[in-house]
Amino acid sequence: MFLFHDVRLALRLLRRNPLTTAIALLSTALSIGATAVVFTAVKAVLLDPLPYSRPSELIQIRSDTAHAAPSLGDWVFPQDALEIARRSRTLASVAMYSNSVLDLPGDGGAPPEAHYGLRVSPNLFPTLGVTPMLGRTPEVPGELLLSYGMWRARFHADRRIVGRAVAAGGRTYAVTGVMPERFNFPMRRDATHTPAPYVEFWEILQLKPAALTTSSVGAIARLRPGVSLDSARQEIASIGTDLARDFAATNRDRTLSAAALRDSALGQAKPALWVLFGAAGLFLVIGCANVANLLLARGLARRRELAVRMAMGAGRLRIARQLLTESCVLAGLGGLGGFLLAALAWRVLPAIAPANIPRLTNAHAGLSVFAFSLAIALANGIVFGIAPALRGAGAGDFAARSSLASPRDRLRGTLVAAEVAIAVVLVVAGGQLLTNFVSLVHTNPGFDPDHVFAAVVLAAPDRYPTPASRGEIYSKFLDAVRAIPGVDSAGTVDALPFSGENHGGFLAPGVVGEIDVVSPDYLQTLGARLKSGRWLTAEDMRPDSDAVLVSDAAPAGSNICLNCTPEHPSNWKRVVGVVASLHHSTLDGAGQPAVYLAAAALQRAQFIVARTSRPPKEMERAIRRAIAGVDPRQPVLLGASMRTLIGDTVAGRRFLMSLLAATAALALMLAAGGIYGVTAYTTSRRTQEIGIRMALGATPGKIHALVFRQSFTAVAAGLALGALGSVLGLKLLRGLLWGLAATPVAAPVIAATLVVATAALACWLPARRAMSVDPNAALRNE
């Protein structure tokens, strides 16, 4: 009953001061809304359990090469996965998967389509502990499991599809089932640009003996009940050591390791999201500190009212309870507004969220986000409402105390200093990330990506089963692309930079690099730079050719031995030229060591690269028409400009950096608003003092300097604390975020200067207004 009465009185008092209430609500809603936006992302990506049975028991196994940089993908030899399953005592099951592409014929006049999916071992879905929405999982070759998206788009959500025969890729598949709408495995893919954000189908993986040590697969495992991750890691590392001894020809210098599937799937998104969440928490403090200052100021204006109420019998506890209720009601309304802002934001953000941050596109502001918004709102209403409530409870003492109206009020000054310090930390951190990101996207990839378009065309294996037939049809594809108006040159490669495709190998003992098979015009089309020697020629495409180009980061010499081992020591190639190093997987670091050979290039081609003046969308349509002109049944998996592919590799960083930059900008605005509000209020409370000073001969300039100096004192303290916090924060950021390089001193200095200028302006404006005080009017009003 008392609570209902206090809430009703609080709402009436808030309506009585609409401007103050509106400012407080806006500040609270912005701060809580920003925090709720980030919490929504954190919840979807980090906190929600993986959509598998007992996900904490699932681990990802990977292989790395000693003395080489860790690979970007979690891959092992199929032989390694089979040996781990056979030798392990800590794992209940080990499942494998690899990439697959399925060609579907044209339907009703529509062109043929290529779909991205997986080949999986039959025990993959039992290992994950998942079941289809319709039907069952595949068990034998020739069976196909559809994703929800493919089922709706291609088969019109026909529930009778289960058990039906489907012609694809020159063979007939039996559809066994359809997975639920949100299911996606694996959640993180190495390919940065694919036709669909989800895997679209799953079929059974068939391993030929020759592929056991020449191909790569993903391997996940489930721990036996009661087995810890550390125990499994130790056993897998020990098995890796044994395999290096037992299969020296293939496993020499290779190590095996394991990580929790959640950690493997999240990659660098985990620390980046926690950093963003921490920044949002700091921003929340600024917003709530603003409200606390506002409540303190309003409490001062109400001191006579509160003193009268206490004189009429209201106890201190009753006054404090009412003021605290007002703070919580205000915070609760702000929390509701913050949730609405977060819900609105997540109607837009999924459309621009990068696919390489797992599950981010599924984020939405639901009931849990609503509860989170109200919880932090009420918590802040209590924490930041205690001081105004305690001060208001002493209103009887305040009535005779002039120091309350002093501009040197320590609590308000402390809150202002805290706001400024946090703003400095956020702006400097945002500036650091922005500077690094700008530097990253302007990194020279080692070639000229402008006006370069790439398409993935995988010659259908049912119609082109032999190397000779694949080479012949790819030659026709390439000629058709070269004939497109506006195409200056074109070439082929089996692993295009920034596509997620990597063909690594040993360039020398202990030296690992990229080994690509390219057509003679590929590097010129890409815009690579020849530093010495000659380019590859059509003569070098003979299957027995030993001519290669090397990057300037590769081992020097006139000859190079590729993947040479004591068992196979003579795979020597003749270096005919040196090109500038290219970035292949990321823009971070230096260009990779690489070798380019042309022998049988068209037989192993997967990507067609064209340099053209035509817009990307137009070029994609032109390539599809050109390929269809050669073989109407041959689909094009995807097409994209090189700028798009490069942009996809930094899409996750761009998204997170944009959110942090927005948080920093809002923090600066709120801090400036808080400084202005406190300075303006304290200046207005000193009208009589200013009038007396001016009546005694103080000039407007001296009044301006006095007010500015006293207002800027708290700001200066905040700047000092913020500078120290920024040093510690930047050190923490570099430890958490991979690839975050130190920036020149000018970057944080510029960021801090921006805060100083904004804070100075917020102090200067009220100080300037103080200059216009009329001494006579001020003294009469008082």
Side-chain angles (χ1 to χ4, degrees):
M1 184 65 182
F2 289 115
L3 179 62
F4 176 77
H5 178 270
D6 288 347
V7 170
R8 186 176 62 180
L9 179 58
L11 290 173
R12 186 166 68 244
L13 291 172
L14 291 176
R15 287 197 303 269
R16 189 181 298 172
N17 299 278
L19 180 59
T20 302
T21 301
I23 294 174
L25 285 177
L26 179 61
S27 182
T28 306
L30 281 176
S31 57
I32 292 178
T35 308
V37 166
V38 179
F39 173 76
T40 305
V42 169
K43 176 181 178 298
V45 178
L46 303 181
L47 302 182
D48 286 348
L50 299 182
Y52 314 126
S53 175
R54 304 189 306 280
S56 61
E57 297 177 1
L58 295 172
I59 65 172
Q60 181 89 44
I61 303 172
R62 65 174 288 152
S63 174
D64 284 305
T65 302
H67 314 300
S71 62
L72 296 179
D74 296 317
W75 302 102
V76 298
F77 285 146
Q79 175 181 267
D80 294 349
L82 293 173
E83 288 295 327
I84 291 172
R86 184 174 68 84
R87 304 184 188 201
S88 175
R89 299 294 179 267
T90 63
L91 304 180
S93 61
V94 179
M96 295 178 286
Y97 59 92
S98 67
N99 295 330
S100 179
V101 173
L102 194 66
D103 294 346
L104 291 178
D107 182 18
E113 299 175 352
H115 293 267
Y116 171 80
L118 291 184
R119 297 186 180 95
V120 303
S121 57
N123 67 334
L124 174 70
F125 294 100
T127 297
L128 294 175
V130 296
T131 56
M133 180 186 73
L134 297 175
R136 59 173 177 83
T137 59
E139 299 172 351
V140 297
E143 293 184 335
L144 193 67
L145 180 66
L146 304 177
S147 71
Y148 183 88
M150 186 174 180
W151 173 60
R152 286 186 61 88
R154 179 73 187 196
F155 300 101
H156 313 295
D158 185 359
R159 302 180 70 87
R160 296 170 299 177
I161 190 66
V162 176
R164 185 184 302 174
V166 174
R171 59 182 298 186
T172 300
Y173 289 87
V175 176
T176 64
V178 178
M179 291 304 288
E181 181 176 4
R182 298 287 186 184
F183 179 80
N184 190 36
F185 180 86
M187 289 190 295
R188 180 174 66 88
R189 301 195 301 273
D190 297 327
T192 57
H193 192 90
T194 53
Y198 294 97
V199 173
E200 297 185 286
F201 68 89
W202 297 266
E203 61 174 316
I204 293 300
L205 174 67
Q206 301 179 69
L207 292 172
K208 298 178 180 179
L212 292 179
T213 56
T214 59
S215 61
S216 298
V217 296
I220 65 164
R222 182 174 289 276
L223 301 175
R224 291 185 183 277
V227 173
S228 68
L229 175 59
D230 287 340
S231 297
R233 281 173 170 163
Q234 293 174 7
E235 183 189 54
I236 289 171
S238 177
I239 292 174
T241 302
D242 294 341
L243 293 180
R245 182 187 63 247
D246 298 343
F247 302 97
T250 57
N251 287 63
R252 181 183 290 108
D253 296 325
R254 286 188 176 272
T255 60
L256 293 175
S257 60
L261 181 60
R262 171 184 288 275
D263 294 338
S264 176
L266 294 178
Q268 288 297 311
K270 183 176 181 179
L273 279 172
W274 283 125
V275 166
L276 184 61
F277 191 59
L282 292 176
F283 175 59
L284 178 65
V285 173
I286 291 180
C288 294
N290 267 350
V291 176
N293 256 332
L294 195 64
L295 292 177
L296 283 169
R298 199 181 70 168
L300 179 60
R302 295 172 60 191
R303 69 187 187 279
R304 290 188 176 87
E305 169 207 335
L306 297 176
V308 169
R309 292 178 62 185
M310 294 181 69
M312 295 177 65
R316 293 177 184 269
L317 183 61
R318 177 70 183 85
I319 295 294
R321 189 183 74 191
Q322 176 59 44
L323 293 176
L324 193 59
T325 300
E326 292 177 23
S327 173
C328 289
V329 168
L330 187 63
L333 294 174
L336 179 60
F339 169 75
L340 294 177
L341 289 176
L344 181 62
W346 278 106
R347 287 184 176 274
V348 178
L349 290 176
I352 60 175
N356 55 5
I357 299 181
R359 302 194 292 176
L360 186 60
T361 54
N362 297 334
H364 65 284
L367 184 60
S368 58
V369 178
F370 176 73
F372 170 82
S373 301
L374 287 186
I376 62 172
L378 293 177
N380 280 285
I382 293 172
V383 171
F384 287 96
I386 286 177
L390 293 178
R391 286 226 166 176
D397 299 331
F398 293 167
R401 197 182 301 170
S402 62
S403 61
L404 181 65
S406 170
R408 300 178 182 87
D409 183 274
R410 292 181 180 179
L411 182 56
R412 290 203 302 273
T414 299
L415 290 174
V416 168
E419 290 184 54
V420 173
I422 293 173
V424 170
V425 172
L426 290 180
V427 173
V428 169
Q432 164 84 5
L433 293 178
L434 179 61
T435 302
N436 272 266
F437 182 77
V438 171
S439 176
L440 181 68
V441 296
H442 285 89
T443 297
N444 181 5
F447 59 92
D448 180 11
D450 294 325
H451 306 296
V452 176
F453 190 88
V456 180
V457 183
L458 305 178
D462 59 309
R463 297 192 301 281
Y464 313 108
T466 65
S469 62
R470 288 196 295 273
E472 182 179 353
I473 192 61
Y474 230 101
S475 177
K476 294 179 180 179
F477 291 155
L478 188 55
D479 288 341
V481 171
R482 285 173 175 152
I484 296 174
V487 171
D488 298 325
S489 63
T492 69
V493 64
D494 61 342
L496 183 72
F498 303 100
S499 68
E501 193 74 20
N502 299 279
H503 291 169
F506 284 101
L507 312 187
V511 179
V512 176
E514 186 72 15
I515 303 176
D516 293 339
V517 182
V518 304
S519 69
D521 293 332
Y522 163 73
L523 289 168
Q524 298 96 307
T525 299
L526 202 60
R529 183 166 57 91
L530 183 67
K531 301 188 71 173
S532 64
R534 65 171 176 85
W535 293 108
L536 295 170
T537 66
E539 181 67 17
D540 296 322
M541 284 202 298
R542 291 183 295 103
D544 59 347
S545 171
D546 63 350
V548 298
L549 288 173
V550 299
S551 70
D552 55 12
S558 58
N559 295 288
I560 191 167
C561 194
L562 301 184
N563 291 321
C564 289
T565 65
E567 293 78 13
H568 302 90
S570 301
N571 189 25
W572 288 96
K573 302 297 179 184
R574 176 171 50 92
V575 177
V576 300
V578 178
V579 296
S581 294
L582 276 61
H583 291 260
H584 193 91
S585 300
T586 68
L587 289 171
D588 296 291
Q592 289 180 282
V595 172
Y596 306 96
L597 59 154
L602 297 181
Q603 298 177 11
R604 298 172 59 179
Q606 297 187 67
F607 296 86
I608 294 179
V609 179
R611 181 164 290 277
T612 176
S613 57
R614 302 181 71 164
K617 289 293 184 183
E618 184 180 316
M619 188 62 194
E620 181 176 10
R621 291 191 294 268
I623 284 184
R624 292 184 184 275
R625 287 194 300 267
I627 298 300
V630 177
D631 181 354
R633 294 183 292 169
Q634 175 65 53
V636 175
L637 177 61
L638 64 93
S641 70
M642 284 304 304
R643 280 296 181 192
T644 298
L645 293 176
I646 294 174
D648 284 343
T649 65
V650 297
R653 296 193 197 187
R654 180 191 298 113
F655 183 82
L656 296 174
M657 187 275 298
S658 298
L659 290 183
L660 181 58
T663 301
L666 287 173
L668 184 59
M669 291 171 55
L670 277 187
I675 295 168
Y676 175 82
V678 170
T679 304
Y681 177 79
T682 54
T683 301
S684 68
R685 301 296 300 175
R686 301 173 65 192
T687 301
Q688 183 184 32
E689 173 199 339
I690 293 172
I692 293 174
R693 288 179 179 272
M694 297 184 74
L696 293 175
T699 64
K702 290 183 177 180
I703 295 296
H704 182 277
L706 173 68
V707 173
F708 181 86
R709 184 177 65 253
Q710 292 177 343
S711 302
F712 201 75
T713 300
V715 172
L719 290 172
L721 290 174
L724 177 61
S726 297
V727 173
L728 299 176
L730 291 179
K731 185 176 180 180
L732 178 64
L733 278 179
R734 294 186 187 112
L736 289 174
L737 301 182
W738 177 76
L740 188 63
T743 56
V745 178
V749 169
I750 292 173
T753 302
L754 177 63
V755 179
V756 172
T758 305
L761 180 63
C763 292
W764 181 83
L765 290 175
R768 183 169 179 80
R769 289 178 59 188
M771 297 169 55
S772 61
V773 171
D774 181 356
N776 295 325
L779 294 175
R780 282 198 303 270
N781 288 337
E782 291 296 329

